[in-house]
Amino acid sequence: MTTIIGIQGPSWFVMAGDSRITGDHMIYDSQSTPKVIKRGSYVIGISGDSAPGDVLTYTWKPPVINLTDPIKHMGSVVIPSIRNAFSRHDVPIGSKKTEYRYLIGFNQTLFYVDYDLAFYQDALDIYTLGSGGELAKGFLLAKEPGIYKTPLAASRAAKSAIENVARIDFSTFPPVTVVVQE
């Protein structure tokens, strides 16, 4: 699996992810296939089965952002475009046989996307995915409230959380990729 973290600020977000890829008794520590990617104006954190992530990384055409309301844009433009890309590549949507979850950010706004392409926002402004996700969230929530007031502080915290999770989660391993959108 993986560990992906997103921290939402007032007019920015930070997304971070580890570099280990695991599956079918295989382990790959790969910097050439990152789990946090930029696609045009979008930042995507990828967790779960690799085929759906490959569609988002290599064949999905990110839509132009033309709405000022990120929630409306997510529901009426982004999710339908992902649904179409997945359909073209026979990626099951809503099937427990294919597990994937994403963080998607644009216009300085983060969203959690589930395997059925439902999307959510977190009232705590801390998003996590993968086998180390809950450990990372606990690490971040144990810190002093309000510590993540700047992108730099949030970047350092996300990187530190993933490095600490890597000490106890077999499926998480540095180096850590960090992307900031301001």
Side-chain angles (χ1 to χ4, degrees):
M1 286 292 283
T2 194
T3 302
I4 305 286
I5 294 173
I7 300 174
Q8 177 71 63
S11 60
W12 52 266
F13 67 79
V14 168
M15 197 180 300
D18 75 298
S19 298
R20 177 160 282 172
I21 299 169
T22 59
D24 294 334
H25 309 290
M26 308 273 300
I27 301 169
Y28 303 98
D29 296 328
S30 176
Q31 295 175 35
S32 63
T33 53
K35 297 175 188 178
V36 175
I37 61 164
K38 290 182 186 180
R39 292 290 319 268
S41 300
Y42 297 83
V43 179
I44 306 168
I46 298 169
S47 174
D49 291 345
S50 60
D54 289 345
V55 170
L56 283 183
T57 301
Y58 303 111
T59 65
W60 175 60
K61 295 192 181 2
V64 173
I65 300 169
N66 58 9
L67 298 173
T68 57
D69 179 359
I71 295 171
K72 186 173 182 178
H73 181 73
M74 186 69 173
S76 65
V77 178
V78 176
I79 294 298
S81 73
I82 293 171
R83 186 177 301 280
N84 288 338
F86 282 4
S87 293
R88 282 193 314 275
H89 295 280
D90 297 320
V91 173
I93 298 169
S95 169
K96 296 279 186 182
K97 292 179 182 178
T98 304
E99 290 289 327
Y100 52 84
R101 286 169 179 79
Y102 307 110
L103 294 184
I104 297 180
F106 61 91
N107 278 17
Q108 298 80 38
T109 306
L110 280 174
F111 295 93
Y112 171 89
V113 179
D114 212 342
Y115 73 100
D116 61 356
L117 299 185
F119 66 96
Y120 313 96
Q121 290 187 296
D122 190 313
L124 297 174
D125 292 331
I126 297 175
Y127 299 77
T128 60
L129 299 175
S131 59
E134 292 304 306
L135 294 169
K137 193 168 201 169
F139 178 88
L140 293 169
L141 291 173
K143 299 290 186 182
E144 177 182 327
I147 193 171
Y148 315 115
K149 290 187 178 190
T150 67
L152 180 59
S155 296
R156 287 179 178 158
K159 185 174 187 277
S160 178
I162 291 173
E163 289 170 346
N164 277 287
V165 168
R167 295 171 56 200
I168 54 177
D169 178 46
F170 169 78
S171 297
T172 300
F173 197 76
V176 176
T177 301
V178 180
V179 176
V180 177
Q181 190 179 84
E182 296 183 76

